[in-house]
Amino acid sequence: MSDSEKKRKSVQCSGTLAVPLGAARAKVGRSQGVGFPQASGAASMEAHGDTGVRALDVTGAGAPIVAVVGVVGTLLSALLTQCAAERSRQREQERTERVRARAREAEARRTCYVALNTSLRQYLAALTDQLHALIRAEDPRTARQRLSEARDLHRDVYAEAQMRLPDPVLALAGEVTHALGTAYGRLRRLDDGVPRPGDSLDAAQGEIDALWERLRELRRGMRADLGASGVCRPSSPEPAPHRPRADPDAFRAHSGC
C-alpha cells in the first residue's frame, strides 16, 4: 500500500472517530456543568421556553381572580349606593315626621287656646249678667244657671290647658282664673244675701272691668305664643259690656238688708 493510500485511510478513521468523540465530550461537559457553545445555546433556549410557559400559566390562573375582583367591586359599589340612598331617605322621613309633629303640636295648642279663650269669655259674660241681674233686682235664676254652667265648662277647659300651656301663658291664665273665682264668690254672697265686709255691687263691677282687661292681656300672650301677634294690626281695645248704674235701694230691697 502506498503512502498516499495510508494517509487517506488515516484521515477517514480520524473523521469516523471525531463524531463519537465529540458526542462523548459534550456528554461529559453537560454532566460537569461545562458545555460547548452549541450546548450552551440549546440550554438557554430551553430555559427561556420554560419561563414563557410559566408566564402563560400565571396569566391564565390570574384571569378568574381579576374577574371575581371586578364583580365584587361592582356589587359593593351598588350596595354602598343603595345604603347611602336609604340613609338619605330615612333622614328625610325623620325630618318630615318632626315637621308633622311640630305642626300637630301647634294645632293642638291653638285648639286649646281657642277653647280657653272661649270659656273665659263665657265665664266672664255670665258673671256680668249675674251682676246686672242683681243691679236691676231681676229674677237671678236664669243668670245663676248660666253662671254655673260657664264656671263648670271653664274648670274642665282650664284643667286640660294646664297640661299644654307654656309657663308664661299658664301663669297669666292662672291669675285670670283665680280672679274669676274671687268675683264669682263675691257675686254669690251678694246673691245669697250674706255679703262680707267690702262686698258690694260697685266692688263687683270694678273686679269685672279689671277682668276684661286681664283677659285681653292673656289673649295677647296666647297669640304671641302662636306666632300670630304680628299677623294683623292690633285692634282697638275691646269695650267692656255696658253696666247699668247700681241702685243701692233696689239691691237692699232684693237682699232684704
Side-chain angles (χ1 to χ4, degrees), residues 131 134-137 201-202 244-254:
L131 175 63
L134 292 176
I135 293 174
R136 294 168 181 166
L201 293 178
D202 288 336
R245 186 176 183 85
D247 186 354
D249 295 334
F251 171 67
R252 282 196 295 268
H254 173 72

Side-chain angles (χ1 to χ4, degrees), residues 221-243:
M222 291 189 291
R223 286 172 55 83
D225 183 60
L226 291 175
S229 58
V231 174
C232 302
R233 290 179 298 179
S235 58
S236 57
E238 180 179 321
H242 171 71
R243 59 171 180 174

Side-chain angles (χ1 to χ4, degrees), residues 57-74:
D57 291 342
V58 171
T59 304
I65 298 176
V66 172
V68 170
V69 171
V71 172
V72 172
T74 302

Side-chain angles (χ1 to χ4, degrees), residues 24-177:
R25 292 175 60 190
K27 184 177 181 180
V28 172
R30 283 196 299 272
S31 63
Q32 295 179 356
V34 180
F36 295 98
Q38 295 82 357
S40 177
S44 177
M45 291 177 64
E46 183 179 0
H48 284 293
D50 293 342
T51 303
V53 171
R54 287 195 297 271
L56 290 175
D57 291 342
V58 171
T59 304
I65 298 176
V66 172
V68 170
V69 171
V71 172
V72 172
T74 302
L75 294 177
L76 287 178
S77 177
L79 181 61
L80 292 176
T81 302
Q82 183 179 358
C83 291
E86 181 65 21
R87 287 195 298 269
S88 177
R89 186 189 66 81
Q90 186 175 1
R91 287 194 296 267
E92 181 64 21
Q93 184 177 0
E94 291 175 354
R95 187 188 69 81
T96 302
E97 287 297 328
R98 288 194 297 270
V99 171
R100 289 177 179 174
R102 288 195 294 268
R104 288 192 297 267
E105 176 63 25
E107 180 63 22
R109 183 175 294 183
R110 189 190 71 84
T111 303
C112 181
Y113 282 162
V114 170
L116 180 62
N117 182 62
T118 301
S119 68
L120 286 170
R121 288 178 60 87
Q122 291 179 355
Y123 192 1
L124 189 51
L127 286 172
T128 304
D129 292 342
Q130 178 75 9
L131 175 63
H132 291 172
L134 292 176
I135 293 174
R136 294 168 181 166
E138 300 173 349
D139 186 359
R141 287 178 295 181
T142 302
R144 189 183 302 152
Q145 180 64 27
R146 288 186 55 196
L147 178 58
S148 178
E149 293 174 355
R151 182 170 178 266
D152 292 341
L153 174 63
H154 174 69
R155 182 176 59 246
D156 296 338
V157 172
Y158 180 66
E160 181 179 356
Q162 287 177 309
M163 300 295 102
R164 291 185 178 274
L165 268 58
D167 291 341
V169 180
L170 182 59
L172 290 174
E175 293 175 0
V176 173
T177 299

Side-chain angles (χ1 to χ4, degrees), residues 178-201:
H178 178 73
L180 284 169
T182 301
Y184 173 80
R186 186 189 299 274
L187 285 177
R188 286 303 305 268
R189 290 191 299 270
L190 291 173
D191 185 23
D192 294 339
V194 287
R196 293 178 181 176
D199 289 346
S200 66
L201 293 178

